[in-house]
Amino acid sequence: MTLVMDRPEIAPQPATEDEKTTGGLVIFAWSGELDKIWPTLILANTAAALGKPVTVFFTFWGLFPLVKNDRGITGDGWMQKMLSFMNRGGLKNMKLSKMNFMGMGPSMMKTLAKRYSVSSPQDLLDTAKEMGVKLIPCQMTMDLMGLTKDDLIDGLEEPAGAATALAVAEGATTLFI
Amino acid sequence: MTLVMDRPEIAPQPATEDEKTTGGLVIFAWSGELDKIWPTLILANTAAALGKPVTVFFTFWGLFPLVKNDRGITGDGWMQKMLSFMNRGGLKNMKLSKMNFMGMGPSMMKTLAKRYSVSSPQDLLDTAKEMGVKLIPCQMTMDLMGLTKDDLIDGLEEPAGAATALAVAEGATTLFI
Amino acid sequence: MTLVMDRPEIAPQPATEDEKTTGGLVIFAWSGELDKIWPTLILANTAAALGKPVTVFFTFWGLFPLVKNDRGITGDGWMQKMLSFMNRGGLKNMKLSKMNFMGMGPSMMKTLAKRYSVSSPQDLLDTAKEMGVKLIPCQMTMDLMGLTKDDLIDGLEEPAGAATALAVAEGATTLFI
């Protein structure tokens, strides 16, 4: 059985009491689009402001907003390089899931957000870190997409796997975004 | 810190016992597409029929199905007007997230639904209101998209923010759709 | 009131203690894409490996990966046949939700997955069954899409409705994927 759980670094372990986020919020951030990052970070920060423990587990496309804005092509081999070329990482390069209008959509949305005092994704991310929101990158996605810790922004938790995310999620409000 | 939570009308407050939906269902309805509205309302109504307290928090694209069918262009300024033009609100104008076939997809899906006794979104929405499902429009989205209470259908709760949604979600089954 | 809950086979019933998945994981698998099937099955299997009860409720587009790979066109009438033609069922026919590249995307992703020891969706599905993950197809979707039990792979639970899914979800970590 070639199973992802066989890899020792992400072998499933029952959650310790310390790891659980009872009464808190745990978001599985799977989508890398601007219009999904926004609710992820707004909900995370609002929950943190309410005094709840909050963890966001960034997986699959959701990992790309955590890539440093100035990273160019990442990964080894042409497939990973092509993925990173087609799906440019970094929070300021995020697109909308629809109505992208060749890049005009995100720009319009950001302008509207500014006018109506909605924080920018970058501000929200900075605030999340300040408020102690735990931001965990998915180790398996990093392997798959060829991303190293050095490709990702600072202030993240150690990369971890699905078992950690599920352990942390016990007793929490959980959302897959 | 320019944070959305700074705006007094949506400042985070811990939930009162009355606000929590313990044992109930809370859906964060982010998507405005027909094929997402369907499960949102079917799950909401089924949970209500089971006697559970149910709240649906409509945010971002999810707000557009709550726009009155006969509203044309909404919002102030060309950006909000353009958004409403490209993303026509109203339950009867909803598209599928894929296989839209220039409008033929939603029509086919509605015909199949009728043939197999699956309620229409409009019937489901009416039933939701009758059964006491709480339908909360997101205040921040309304600001961002330039939607007023007058643009939205009747029978909704007062607009509220992420803090209210999270407070209500405590102890409930939660889904982000 | 023509309501889906009116149909006796899916009439809402409060959950028995035996039906609840307290402390477990319940996934509402709505999306049929390869990049959504992957997290669904990885999370399900990881939770099962942690000793948790796990149920996946496959609904709407999410049902198509459970269609047998060698099924061609399914359903009665031209609308259901067209849906099955445009949205070919079977796990090996799944596409990515974006960057599909005319079919090259899924192939690339599978190659990367193999190289980095991430199990294939087929292996994950086989493992899920072995580990006792309950896989429930949505009866209403089957009716709507014209799918019979004979069109679906073996090893699934009896088809059921939203009420069953919600009953099972009580006390569990819930995700809508």
Side-chain angles (χ1 to χ4, degrees):
Chain A
M1 189 171 73
T2 314
L3 189 60
V4 66
M5 285 98 76
D6 290 342
R7 294 192 297 158
E9 75 275 21
I10 52 170
Q13 300 288 339
T16 62
E17 280 308 313
D18 189 49
E19 283 175 331
K20 293 184 191 175
T21 316
T22 310
L25 175 68
V26 175
I27 298 177
F28 293 75
W30 176 91
S31 309
E33 279 109 0
L34 180 62
D35 44 359
K36 289 278 180 89
I37 287 297
W38 235 317
T40 296
L41 292 176
I42 288 174
L43 287 168
N45 289 0
T46 307
L50 284 161
K52 293 169 185 285
V54 184
T55 296
V56 185
F57 181 70
F58 293 88
T59 184
F60 226 80
W61 310 116
L63 203 59
F64 285 90
L66 299 187
V67 171
K68 289 171 184 160
N69 281 322
D70 56 356
R71 285 285 132 160
I73 306 300
T74 51
D76 298 316
W78 69 270
M79 284 188 292
Q80 290 180 341
K81 285 182 201 301
M82 183 167 167
L83 269 173
S84 82
F85 174 72
M86 298 299 294
N87 196 47
R88 180 73 193 278
L91 203 47
K92 78 177 169 75
N93 300 313
M94 295 301 104
K95 297 171 186 167
L96 291 171
S97 66
K98 60 177 183 175
M99 304 211 291
N100 204 55
F101 303 144
M102 311 286 286
M104 202 174 78
S107 154
M108 267 174 57
M109 206 58 91
K110 285 175 188 169
T111 305
L112 285 173
K114 200 167 180 183
R115 185 173 307 164
Y116 292 95
S117 305
V118 177
S119 304
S120 73
Q122 188 60 58
D123 284 347
L124 287 166
L125 191 61
D126 292 343
T127 305
K129 287 186 211 166
E130 279 168 36
M131 297 180 91
V133 172
K134 288 187 182 174
L135 309 168
I136 304 180
C138 171
Q139 178 68 60
M140 190 181 69
T141 307
M142 290 173 65
D143 293 352
L144 202 63
M145 308 288 193
L147 294 167
T148 65
K149 282 168 72 171
D150 196 47
D151 292 322
L152 304 180
I153 58 170
D154 296 328
L156 307 178
E157 304 292 310
E158 279 300 298
T164 300
L166 285 167
V168 166
E170 273 186 40
T173 295
T174 51
L175 301 172
F176 186 97
I177 299 186
Chain B
M1 189 172 72
T2 313
L3 189 60
V4 65
M5 287 98 77
D6 290 342
R7 294 191 297 157
E9 77 274 20
I10 53 170
Q13 299 289 339
T16 62
E17 280 308 312
D18 190 50
E19 284 175 330
K20 294 184 191 176
T21 315
T22 310
L25 175 68
V26 175
I27 297 177
F28 293 75
W30 175 90
S31 310
E33 280 109 358
L34 180 62
D35 43 358
K36 289 279 179 87
I37 287 297
W38 236 316
T40 296
L41 293 175
I42 288 175
L43 287 168
N45 290 0
T46 306
L50 284 162
K52 294 169 185 284
V54 184
T55 296
V56 185
F57 180 70
F58 293 88
T59 186
F60 225 80
W61 310 116
L63 203 58
F64 285 90
L66 299 186
V67 171
K68 288 172 184 159
N69 281 322
D70 57 357
R71 286 285 132 157
I73 306 300
T74 52
D76 299 317
W78 69 271
M79 284 188 291
Q80 290 180 342
K81 284 183 201 301
M82 182 166 167
L83 269 174
S84 82
F85 174 72
M86 298 300 293
N87 195 47
R88 181 73 194 278
L91 202 47
K92 77 178 170 76
N93 301 312
M94 294 302 103
K95 296 171 185 167
L96 291 171
S97 65
K98 60 176 183 175
M99 305 212 291
N100 204 54
F101 304 145
M102 311 286 284
M104 201 173 80
S107 154
M108 265 173 58
M109 206 57 91
K110 285 173 187 169
T111 305
L112 285 173
K114 200 168 180 183
R115 187 173 304 163
Y116 292 94
S117 306
V118 177
S119 304
S120 73
Q122 188 60 58
D123 284 348
L124 287 167
L125 191 61
D126 293 343
T127 305
K129 287 186 210 165
E130 280 169 34
M131 295 180 94
V133 172
K134 289 188 182 173
L135 308 168
I136 305 180
C138 171
Q139 179 67 62
M140 190 180 69
T141 307
M142 290 173 65
D143 293 351
L144 201 64
M145 308 287 193
L147 294 166
T148 66
K149 280 167 73 171
D150 196 47
D151 292 322
L152 303 181
I153 58 171
D154 296 328
L156 306 179
E157 305 291 310
E158 279 301 298
T164 300
L166 285 167
V168 166
E170 274 186 38
T173 294
T174 51
L175 301 172
F176 185 96
I177 298 186
Chain C
M1 189 172 72
T2 315
L3 190 60
V4 66
M5 287 97 77
D6 291 342
R7 295 191 297 158
E9 75 275 22
I10 52 170
Q13 300 290 336
T16 62
E17 281 307 313
D18 189 49
E19 283 175 331
K20 294 184 191 175
T21 316
T22 311
L25 174 68
V26 175
I27 297 177
F28 293 75
W30 175 91
S31 310
E33 279 109 359
L34 180 62
D35 43 359
K36 289 277 180 89
I37 287 297
W38 237 315
T40 296
L41 293 175
I42 288 174
L43 287 167
N45 290 359
T46 306
L50 284 161
K52 293 169 187 284
V54 184
T55 296
V56 185
F57 180 70
F58 293 89
T59 187
F60 226 79
W61 310 116
L63 203 58
F64 285 90
L66 299 188
V67 170
K68 289 171 184 162
N69 282 322
D70 57 356
R71 285 284 131 160
I73 306 300
T74 53
D76 298 318
W78 69 269
M79 283 188 294
Q80 290 180 342
K81 286 184 201 300
M82 183 168 166
L83 269 174
S84 82
F85 174 70
M86 298 300 292
N87 196 47
R88 181 73 193 280
L91 201 47
K92 77 179 170 75
N93 301 313
M94 294 302 104
K95 296 170 186 167
L96 291 172
S97 67
K98 60 176 183 176
M99 305 211 292
N100 203 55
F101 304 143
M102 311 285 285
M104 202 174 79
S107 153
M108 264 173 58
M109 206 58 90
K110 286 174 187 169
T111 306
L112 284 173
K114 200 167 179 182
R115 186 174 305 164
Y116 292 95
S117 305
V118 177
S119 303
S120 74
Q122 188 61 59
D123 284 347
L124 288 166
L125 190 60
D126 293 343
T127 305
K129 289 187 209 166
E130 280 169 35
M131 296 180 92
V133 172
K134 288 187 182 173
L135 308 168
I136 305 180
C138 171
Q139 178 67 61
M140 192 180 68
T141 307
M142 289 173 66
D143 293 352
L144 201 64
M145 308 289 193
L147 294 167
T148 65
K149 281 167 72 171
D150 195 47
D151 292 322
L152 303 181
I153 58 170
D154 296 327
L156 306 179
E157 304 293 309
E158 279 301 297
T164 300
L166 285 167
V168 165
E170 273 186 39
T173 295
T174 51
L175 301 172
F176 186 97
I177 298 187

